Amino acid sequence: MRTIGVFDSGVGGVSVLKEVLRKFPADNIIYFGDSLHAPYGEKEIDEIRSLCLKVSDFLVYEKKVDALVIACNTATGAAMDIMQKRYGIPVVGVVENGAAEGVKHTHNKSIGVIATPATIKMDLYKKSIAKIDSSIKTYSVKCPLFVGMIEKGWEDTLENDELIKSYLNEFSVEIDTLILGCTHYPLIRKYIARHFNGNIIDPAEETAKSLKKIIGEGKYLHKPYLKFYASGDPEKFKKVAQEFLGQEICEVEKIIL
């Protein structure tokens, strides 16, 4: 029976995990949230890469996963190429899948991306979109406050609503498609949608689909398990993860790598 590893800098990757669970109901799933070091998006690339490899080494060498999903845009840009060469198992990330979905939906060839500072610094979406269609213009806005607020548990307040509005107002042109370039952001999608009427792209579903194309359907050999590990406060992680995953989590084991 296969085991799929999913990891993120914290709780945000549950947006991807939810899609992985839908696409792979017969497979064991392990999720690692490196919440002790969140947010990755404000760190230097070398540090992000080092953190990613510690987590992925744990999943591949200790937990023996058969495939790896990088449920973090910043981590995808910083470390996916290295991981693909390092492990010899399927490794998929969210950026290329999000870019492809954005290209499918835009009509005016103007795509907006909201993401962490590190993701935007690496120009991940701009480069990926240009590979697919060089005529499309990509505009990016960094949202440094979102991840920390989501990790604590987002509150629907007037202040937070104004923060979303202020970030979206930074786009200097009319975009018809908005890519949520951080896996934390789909967790507040309904609040973002109050201020954006165009296409909102969550790369999670396409990422799960791309893995399914690589490894195919799983087979029920026995009841699959879902395990959670977090490097930060497990109870805090559990509370926020349950809210967004929409199901109870039995236990979150704390592991500091």
mmCIF file of all heavy atoms in Angstrom, residues 165-204:
data_model
loop_
_atom_site.group_PDB
_atom_site.id
_atom_site.type_symbol
_atom_site.label_atom_id
_atom_site.label_comp_id
_atom_site.label_asym_id
_atom_site.label_seq_id
_atom_site.Cartn_x
_atom_site.Cartn_y
_atom_site.Cartn_z
ATOM 1 N N LYS A 165 -8.569 44.043 1.133
ATOM 2 C CA LYS A 165 -8.904 45.078 0.149
ATOM 3 C C LYS A 165 -7.675 45.906 -0.226
ATOM 4 O O LYS A 165 -7.444 46.201 -1.402
ATOM 5 C CB LYS A 165 -9.996 45.985 0.723
ATOM 6 C CG LYS A 165 -10.590 46.967 -0.263
ATOM 7 C CD LYS A 165 -11.716 47.744 0.398
ATOM 8 C CE LYS A 165 -12.284 48.796 -0.550
ATOM 9 N NZ LYS A 165 -13.374 49.564 0.118
ATOM 10 N N SER A 166 -6.865 46.246 0.760
ATOM 11 C CA SER A 166 -5.678 47.072 0.494
ATOM 12 C C SER A 166 -4.657 46.337 -0.373
ATOM 13 O O SER A 166 -4.035 46.926 -1.263
ATOM 14 C CB SER A 166 -5.022 47.512 1.803
ATOM 15 O OG SER A 166 -4.410 46.423 2.472
ATOM 16 N N TYR A 167 -4.491 45.030 -0.143
ATOM 17 C CA TYR A 167 -3.571 44.249 -0.977
ATOM 18 C C TYR A 167 -4.085 44.185 -2.420
ATOM 19 O O TYR A 167 -3.325 44.388 -3.371
ATOM 20 C CB TYR A 167 -3.416 42.832 -0.425
ATOM 21 C CG TYR A 167 -2.491 42.699 0.767
ATOM 22 C CD1 TYR A 167 -2.755 41.772 1.774
ATOM 23 C CD2 TYR A 167 -1.347 43.484 0.893
ATOM 24 C CE1 TYR A 167 -1.917 41.620 2.859
ATOM 25 C CE2 TYR A 167 -0.491 43.342 1.978
ATOM 26 C CZ TYR A 167 -0.782 42.414 2.970
ATOM 27 O OH TYR A 167 0.060 42.268 4.043
ATOM 28 N N LEU A 168 -5.362 43.892 -2.591
ATOM 29 C CA LEU A 168 -5.922 43.776 -3.941
ATOM 30 C C LEU A 168 -5.913 45.112 -4.675
ATOM 31 O O LEU A 168 -5.788 45.153 -5.906
ATOM 32 C CB LEU A 168 -7.337 43.209 -3.885
ATOM 33 C CG LEU A 168 -7.466 41.765 -3.387
ATOM 34 C CD1 LEU A 168 -8.919 41.320 -3.378
ATOM 35 C CD2 LEU A 168 -6.634 40.805 -4.233
ATOM 36 N N ASN A 169 -6.001 46.190 -3.947
ATOM 37 C CA ASN A 169 -5.956 47.524 -4.563
ATOM 38 C C ASN A 169 -4.573 47.882 -5.095
ATOM 39 O O ASN A 169 -4.415 48.872 -5.818
ATOM 40 C CB ASN A 169 -6.411 48.596 -3.565
ATOM 41 C CG ASN A 169 -7.919 48.623 -3.406
ATOM 42 O OD1 ASN A 169 -8.662 48.083 -4.234
ATOM 43 N ND2 ASN A 169 -8.391 49.232 -2.328
ATOM 44 N N GLU A 170 -3.565 47.071 -4.751
ATOM 45 C CA GLU A 170 -2.206 47.335 -5.240
ATOM 46 C C GLU A 170 -2.020 46.947 -6.703
ATOM 47 O O GLU A 170 -1.031 47.328 -7.326
ATOM 48 C CB GLU A 170 -1.174 46.608 -4.373
ATOM 49 C CG GLU A 170 -1.020 47.210 -2.980
ATOM 50 C CD GLU A 170 0.086 46.542 -2.189
ATOM 51 O OE1 GLU A 170 1.121 46.176 -2.798
ATOM 52 O OE2 GLU A 170 -0.086 46.363 -0.974
ATOM 53 N N PHE A 171 -2.947 46.157 -7.253
ATOM 54 C CA PHE A 171 -2.836 45.816 -8.673
ATOM 55 C C PHE A 171 -3.096 47.082 -9.498
ATOM 56 O O PHE A 171 -4.130 47.738 -9.340
ATOM 57 C CB PHE A 171 -3.821 44.707 -9.057
ATOM 58 C CG PHE A 171 -3.417 43.354 -8.554
ATOM 59 C CD1 PHE A 171 -4.091 42.754 -7.492
ATOM 60 C CD2 PHE A 171 -2.336 42.682 -9.103
ATOM 61 C CE1 PHE A 171 -3.719 41.516 -7.008
ATOM 62 C CE2 PHE A 171 -1.945 41.443 -8.630
ATOM 63 C CZ PHE A 171 -2.631 40.853 -7.577
ATOM 64 N N SER A 172 -2.153 47.384 -10.376
ATOM 65 C CA SER A 172 -2.205 48.649 -11.118
ATOM 66 C C SER A 172 -3.028 48.552 -12.403
ATOM 67 O O SER A 172 -3.302 49.562 -13.042
ATOM 68 C CB SER A 172 -0.781 49.103 -11.465
ATOM 69 O OG SER A 172 -0.109 48.089 -12.202
ATOM 70 N N VAL A 173 -3.397 47.333 -12.794
ATOM 71 C CA VAL A 173 -4.189 47.136 -14.010
ATOM 72 C C VAL A 173 -5.378 46.244 -13.683
ATOM 73 O O VAL A 173 -5.440 45.626 -12.615
ATOM 74 C CB VAL A 173 -3.353 46.476 -15.140
ATOM 75 C CG1 VAL A 173 -2.162 47.335 -15.516
ATOM 76 C CG2 VAL A 173 -2.898 45.076 -14.724
ATOM 77 N N GLU A 174 -6.308 46.146 -14.633
ATOM 78 C CA GLU A 174 -7.475 45.285 -14.425
ATOM 79 C C GLU A 174 -7.112 43.844 -14.774
ATOM 80 O O GLU A 174 -6.828 43.515 -15.929
ATOM 81 C CB GLU A 174 -8.646 45.747 -15.296
ATOM 82 C CG GLU A 174 -9.914 44.961 -15.011
ATOM 83 C CD GLU A 174 -11.103 45.409 -15.847
ATOM 84 O OE1 GLU A 174 -11.037 46.504 -16.436
ATOM 85 O OE2 GLU A 174 -12.076 44.653 -15.914
ATOM 86 N N ILE A 175 -7.096 43.008 -13.770
ATOM 87 C CA ILE A 175 -6.832 41.571 -13.973
ATOM 88 C C ILE A 175 -8.166 40.838 -13.945
ATOM 89 O O ILE A 175 -9.088 41.231 -13.236
ATOM 90 C CB ILE A 175 -5.882 41.015 -12.897
ATOM 91 C CG1 ILE A 175 -6.459 41.260 -11.485
ATOM 92 C CG2 ILE A 175 -4.494 41.630 -13.018
ATOM 93 C CD1 ILE A 175 -5.722 40.577 -10.362
ATOM 94 N N ASP A 176 -8.286 39.777 -14.747
ATOM 95 C CA ASP A 176 -9.540 39.009 -14.713
ATOM 96 C C ASP A 176 -9.378 37.673 -14.005
ATOM 97 O O ASP A 176 -10.333 36.937 -13.789
ATOM 98 C CB ASP A 176 -10.100 38.804 -16.127
ATOM 99 C CG ASP A 176 -9.282 37.832 -16.966
ATOM 100 O OD1 ASP A 176 -8.147 37.482 -16.575
ATOM 101 O OD2 ASP A 176 -9.770 37.421 -18.035
ATOM 102 N N THR A 177 -8.133 37.353 -13.631
ATOM 103 C CA THR A 177 -7.838 36.077 -12.980
ATOM 104 C C THR A 177 -6.844 36.323 -11.855
ATOM 105 O O THR A 177 -5.849 37.017 -12.049
ATOM 106 C CB THR A 177 -7.247 35.076 -13.998
ATOM 107 O OG1 THR A 177 -8.221 34.856 -15.041
ATOM 108 C CG2 THR A 177 -6.907 33.747 -13.355
ATOM 109 N N LEU A 178 -7.124 35.751 -10.705
ATOM 110 C CA LEU A 178 -6.261 35.921 -9.533
ATOM 111 C C LEU A 178 -5.810 34.557 -9.040
ATOM 112 O O LEU A 178 -6.626 33.705 -8.683
ATOM 113 C CB LEU A 178 -7.025 36.648 -8.416
ATOM 114 C CG LEU A 178 -6.259 36.888 -7.116
ATOM 115 C CD1 LEU A 178 -5.130 37.894 -7.324
ATOM 116 C CD2 LEU A 178 -7.210 37.359 -6.008
ATOM 117 N N ILE A 179 -4.496 34.339 -9.032
ATOM 118 C CA ILE A 179 -3.935 33.087 -8.527
ATOM 119 C C ILE A 179 -3.591 33.254 -7.053
ATOM 120 O O ILE A 179 -2.890 34.195 -6.669
ATOM 121 C CB ILE A 179 -2.681 32.670 -9.315
ATOM 122 C CG1 ILE A 179 -3.035 32.382 -10.778
ATOM 123 C CG2 ILE A 179 -2.035 31.437 -8.682
ATOM 124 C CD1 ILE A 179 -1.825 32.069 -11.659
ATOM 125 N N LEU A 180 -4.093 32.339 -6.239
ATOM 126 C CA LEU A 180 -3.730 32.317 -4.827
ATOM 127 C C LEU A 180 -2.375 31.623 -4.726
ATOM 128 O O LEU A 180 -2.291 30.395 -4.668
ATOM 129 C CB LEU A 180 -4.808 31.586 -4.011
ATOM 130 C CG LEU A 180 -6.233 32.142 -4.165
ATOM 131 C CD1 LEU A 180 -7.211 31.343 -3.308
ATOM 132 C CD2 LEU A 180 -6.297 33.621 -3.830
ATOM 133 N N GLY A 181 -1.320 32.422 -4.731
ATOM 134 C CA GLY A 181 0.045 31.902 -4.846
ATOM 135 C C GLY A 181 0.686 31.488 -3.544
ATOM 136 O O GLY A 181 1.914 31.454 -3.429
ATOM 137 N N CYS A 182 -0.135 31.164 -2.572
ATOM 138 C CA CYS A 182 0.329 30.599 -1.300
ATOM 139 C C CYS A 182 -0.774 29.655 -0.841
ATOM 140 O O CYS A 182 -1.955 30.017 -0.896
ATOM 141 C CB CYS A 182 0.559 31.703 -0.265
ATOM 142 S SG CYS A 182 0.864 31.069 1.414
ATOM 143 N N THR A 183 -0.410 28.464 -0.402
ATOM 144 C CA THR A 183 -1.438 27.472 -0.069
ATOM 145 C C THR A 183 -2.216 27.827 1.193
ATOM 146 O O THR A 183 -3.244 27.210 1.487
ATOM 147 C CB THR A 183 -0.831 26.059 0.073
ATOM 148 O OG1 THR A 183 0.251 26.095 1.014
ATOM 149 C CG2 THR A 183 -0.331 25.556 -1.263
ATOM 150 N N HIS A 184 -1.753 28.823 1.939
ATOM 151 C CA HIS A 184 -2.550 29.319 3.064
ATOM 152 C C HIS A 184 -3.767 30.108 2.571
ATOM 153 O O HIS A 184 -4.814 30.110 3.223
ATOM 154 C CB HIS A 184 -1.711 30.239 3.962
ATOM 155 C CG HIS A 184 -0.768 29.534 4.867
ATOM 156 N ND1 HIS A 184 0.384 28.916 4.416
ATOM 157 C CD2 HIS A 184 -0.783 29.345 6.213
ATOM 158 C CE1 HIS A 184 1.024 28.388 5.435
ATOM 159 N NE2 HIS A 184 0.342 28.639 6.546
ATOM 160 N N TYR A 185 -3.621 30.781 1.436
ATOM 161 C CA TYR A 185 -4.643 31.745 1.018
ATOM 162 C C TYR A 185 -6.013 31.139 0.671
ATOM 163 O O TYR A 185 -7.036 31.791 0.899
ATOM 164 C CB TYR A 185 -4.139 32.581 -0.163
ATOM 165 C CG TYR A 185 -2.902 33.412 0.122
ATOM 166 C CD1 TYR A 185 -2.267 34.127 -0.893
ATOM 167 C CD2 TYR A 185 -2.333 33.484 1.398
ATOM 168 C CE1 TYR A 185 -1.130 34.883 -0.647
ATOM 169 C CE2 TYR A 185 -1.192 34.227 1.639
ATOM 170 C CZ TYR A 185 -0.590 34.925 0.617
ATOM 171 O OH TYR A 185 0.541 35.669 0.855
ATOM 172 N N PRO A 186 -6.079 29.912 0.136
ATOM 173 C CA PRO A 186 -7.408 29.341 -0.101
ATOM 174 C C PRO A 186 -8.246 29.213 1.179
ATOM 175 O O PRO A 186 -9.474 29.135 1.115
ATOM 176 C CB PRO A 186 -7.099 27.954 -0.688
ATOM 177 C CG PRO A 186 -5.789 28.141 -1.359
ATOM 178 C CD PRO A 186 -5.023 29.061 -0.459
ATOM 179 N N LEU A 187 -7.576 29.199 2.322
ATOM 180 C CA LEU A 187 -8.295 29.096 3.581
ATOM 181 C C LEU A 187 -9.095 30.364 3.880
ATOM 182 O O LEU A 187 -10.022 30.339 4.695
ATOM 183 C CB LEU A 187 -7.322 28.804 4.732
ATOM 184 C CG LEU A 187 -6.394 27.588 4.526
ATOM 185 C CD1 LEU A 187 -5.542 27.348 5.754
ATOM 186 C CD2 LEU A 187 -7.185 26.333 4.195
ATOM 187 N N ILE A 188 -8.758 31.473 3.202
ATOM 188 C CA ILE A 188 -9.534 32.710 3.360
ATOM 189 C C ILE A 188 -10.123 33.147 2.008
ATOM 190 O O ILE A 188 -10.426 34.319 1.804
ATOM 191 C CB ILE A 188 -8.694 33.844 3.988
ATOM 192 C CG1 ILE A 188 -7.434 34.152 3.147
ATOM 193 C CG2 ILE A 188 -8.313 33.497 5.421
ATOM 194 C CD1 ILE A 188 -6.728 35.438 3.556
ATOM 195 N N ARG A 189 -10.292 32.178 1.121
ATOM 196 C CA ARG A 189 -10.786 32.486 -0.221
ATOM 197 C C ARG A 189 -12.118 33.243 -0.211
ATOM 198 O O ARG A 189 -12.311 34.183 -0.976
ATOM 199 C CB ARG A 189 -10.933 31.190 -1.015
ATOM 200 C CG ARG A 189 -11.514 31.384 -2.406
ATOM 201 C CD ARG A 189 -11.595 30.092 -3.173
ATOM 202 N NE ARG A 189 -12.147 30.296 -4.485
ATOM 203 C CZ ARG A 189 -11.880 29.519 -5.528
ATOM 204 N NH1 ARG A 189 -11.055 28.502 -5.402
ATOM 205 N NH2 ARG A 189 -12.425 29.764 -6.710
ATOM 206 N N LYS A 190 -13.037 32.838 0.647
ATOM 207 C CA LYS A 190 -14.364 33.473 0.635
ATOM 208 C C LYS A 190 -14.283 34.943 1.032
ATOM 209 O O LYS A 190 -15.105 35.754 0.591
ATOM 210 C CB LYS A 190 -15.335 32.721 1.527
ATOM 211 C CG LYS A 190 -15.016 32.714 3.004
ATOM 212 C CD LYS A 190 -16.074 31.894 3.744
ATOM 213 C CE LYS A 190 -15.756 31.811 5.241
ATOM 214 N NZ LYS A 190 -16.762 30.988 5.951
ATOM 215 N N TYR A 191 -13.280 35.294 1.819
ATOM 216 C CA TYR A 191 -13.113 36.696 2.202
ATOM 217 C C TYR A 191 -12.447 37.488 1.074
ATOM 218 O O TYR A 191 -12.788 38.642 0.828
ATOM 219 C CB TYR A 191 -12.297 36.798 3.487
ATOM 220 C CG TYR A 191 -12.855 35.948 4.609
ATOM 221 C CD1 TYR A 191 -12.098 34.925 5.167
ATOM 222 C CD2 TYR A 191 -14.149 36.148 5.085
ATOM 223 C CE1 TYR A 191 -12.611 34.126 6.182
ATOM 224 C CE2 TYR A 191 -14.674 35.356 6.105
ATOM 225 C CZ TYR A 191 -13.904 34.341 6.647
ATOM 226 O OH TYR A 191 -14.423 33.555 7.633
ATOM 227 N N ILE A 192 -11.514 36.841 0.372
ATOM 228 C CA ILE A 192 -10.873 37.469 -0.782
ATOM 229 C C ILE A 192 -11.907 37.721 -1.880
ATOM 230 O O ILE A 192 -11.898 38.762 -2.537
ATOM 231 C CB ILE A 192 -9.716 36.575 -1.305
ATOM 232 C CG1 ILE A 192 -8.584 36.522 -0.277
ATOM 233 C CG2 ILE A 192 -9.188 37.083 -2.656
ATOM 234 C CD1 ILE A 192 -7.511 35.491 -0.573
ATOM 235 N N ALA A 193 -12.836 36.765 -2.044
ATOM 236 C CA ALA A 193 -13.859 36.861 -3.100
ATOM 237 C C ALA A 193 -14.800 38.046 -2.907
ATOM 238 O O ALA A 193 -15.453 38.482 -3.865
ATOM 239 C CB ALA A 193 -14.655 35.559 -3.168
ATOM 240 N N ARG A 194 -14.861 38.581 -1.719
ATOM 241 C CA ARG A 194 -15.683 39.777 -1.493
ATOM 242 C C ARG A 194 -15.173 40.971 -2.293
ATOM 243 O O ARG A 194 -15.928 41.879 -2.630
ATOM 244 C CB ARG A 194 -15.652 40.166 -0.011
ATOM 245 C CG ARG A 194 -16.387 39.250 0.925
ATOM 246 C CD ARG A 194 -16.129 39.700 2.351
ATOM 247 N NE ARG A 194 -16.787 38.835 3.330
ATOM 248 C CZ ARG A 194 -16.525 38.865 4.621
ATOM 249 N NH1 ARG A 194 -15.617 39.715 5.095
ATOM 250 N NH2 ARG A 194 -17.167 38.055 5.448
ATOM 251 N N HIS A 195 -13.878 40.952 -2.592
ATOM 252 C CA HIS A 195 -13.246 42.110 -3.233
ATOM 253 C C HIS A 195 -12.692 41.810 -4.624
ATOM 254 O O HIS A 195 -12.005 42.637 -5.210
ATOM 255 C CB HIS A 195 -12.117 42.637 -2.332
ATOM 256 C CG HIS A 195 -12.591 42.981 -0.955
ATOM 257 N ND1 HIS A 195 -13.365 44.085 -0.693
ATOM 258 C CD2 HIS A 195 -12.434 42.323 0.228
ATOM 259 C CE1 HIS A 195 -13.643 44.126 0.594
ATOM 260 N NE2 HIS A 195 -13.097 43.065 1.175
ATOM 261 N N PHE A 196 -12.979 40.604 -5.126
ATOM 262 C CA PHE A 196 -12.516 40.262 -6.480
ATOM 263 C C PHE A 196 -13.578 39.421 -7.167
ATOM 264 O O PHE A 196 -13.914 38.326 -6.705
ATOM 265 C CB PHE A 196 -11.194 39.498 -6.437
ATOM 266 C CG PHE A 196 -10.621 39.239 -7.811
ATOM 267 C CD1 PHE A 196 -10.026 40.264 -8.536
ATOM 268 C CD2 PHE A 196 -10.714 37.973 -8.387
ATOM 269 C CE1 PHE A 196 -9.524 40.021 -9.808
ATOM 270 C CE2 PHE A 196 -10.218 37.736 -9.647
ATOM 271 C CZ PHE A 196 -9.621 38.773 -10.370
ATOM 272 N N ASN A 197 -14.093 39.909 -8.285
ATOM 273 C CA ASN A 197 -15.202 39.251 -8.980
ATOM 274 C C ASN A 197 -14.769 38.335 -10.132
ATOM 275 O O ASN A 197 -15.609 37.697 -10.755
ATOM 276 C CB ASN A 197 -16.182 40.298 -9.530
ATOM 277 C CG ASN A 197 -16.876 41.066 -8.417
ATOM 278 O OD1 ASN A 197 -17.220 40.497 -7.392
ATOM 279 N ND2 ASN A 197 -17.045 42.370 -8.614
ATOM 280 N N GLY A 198 -13.475 38.297 -10.424
ATOM 281 C CA GLY A 198 -13.000 37.477 -11.539
ATOM 282 C C GLY A 198 -12.758 36.025 -11.124
ATOM 283 O O GLY A 198 -13.318 35.528 -10.144
ATOM 284 N N ASN A 199 -11.939 35.334 -11.905
ATOM 285 C CA ASN A 199 -11.596 33.932 -11.622
ATOM 286 C C ASN A 199 -10.565 33.879 -10.500
ATOM 287 O O ASN A 199 -9.522 34.519 -10.582
ATOM 288 C CB ASN A 199 -10.998 33.271 -12.865
ATOM 289 C CG ASN A 199 -11.891 33.413 -14.075
ATOM 290 O OD1 ASN A 199 -13.039 33.004 -14.056
ATOM 291 N ND2 ASN A 199 -11.375 34.015 -15.144
ATOM 292 N N ILE A 200 -10.857 33.101 -9.486
ATOM 293 C CA ILE A 200 -9.891 32.888 -8.399
ATOM 294 C C ILE A 200 -9.348 31.469 -8.517
ATOM 295 O O ILE A 200 -10.111 30.500 -8.510
ATOM 296 C CB ILE A 200 -10.533 33.124 -7.021
ATOM 297 C CG1 ILE A 200 -10.993 34.581 -6.891
ATOM 298 C CG2 ILE A 200 -9.541 32.779 -5.916
ATOM 299 C CD1 ILE A 200 -11.657 34.910 -5.560
ATOM 300 N N ILE A 201 -8.049 31.365 -8.657
ATOM 301 C CA ILE A 201 -7.409 30.069 -8.920
ATOM 302 C C ILE A 201 -6.708 29.544 -7.665
ATOM 303 O O ILE A 201 -5.817 30.185 -7.114
ATOM 304 C CB ILE A 201 -6.370 30.190 -10.067
ATOM 305 C CG1 ILE A 201 -7.003 30.774 -11.329
ATOM 306 C CG2 ILE A 201 -5.728 28.832 -10.337
ATOM 307 C CD1 ILE A 201 -8.157 29.987 -11.893
ATOM 308 N N ASP A 202 -7.124 28.357 -7.254
ATOM 309 C CA ASP A 202 -6.485 27.622 -6.162
ATOM 310 C C ASP A 202 -5.745 26.447 -6.804
ATOM 311 O O ASP A 202 -6.384 25.554 -7.364
ATOM 312 C CB ASP A 202 -7.557 27.133 -5.193
ATOM 313 C CG ASP A 202 -7.007 26.187 -4.128
ATOM 314 O OD1 ASP A 202 -5.796 25.977 -4.080
ATOM 315 O OD2 ASP A 202 -7.829 25.661 -3.348
ATOM 316 N N PRO A 203 -4.418 26.421 -6.757
ATOM 317 C CA PRO A 203 -3.650 25.357 -7.431
ATOM 318 C C PRO A 203 -3.823 23.955 -6.842
ATOM 319 O O PRO A 203 -3.350 22.982 -7.429
ATOM 320 C CB PRO A 203 -2.189 25.818 -7.258
ATOM 321 C CG PRO A 203 -2.266 27.275 -6.964
ATOM 322 C CD PRO A 203 -3.542 27.459 -6.195
ATOM 323 N N ALA A 204 -4.513 23.842 -5.717
ATOM 324 C CA ALA A 204 -4.563 22.565 -5.000
ATOM 325 C C ALA A 204 -5.115 21.411 -5.834
ATOM 326 O O ALA A 204 -4.518 20.334 -5.902
ATOM 327 C CB ALA A 204 -5.394 22.722 -3.719
#
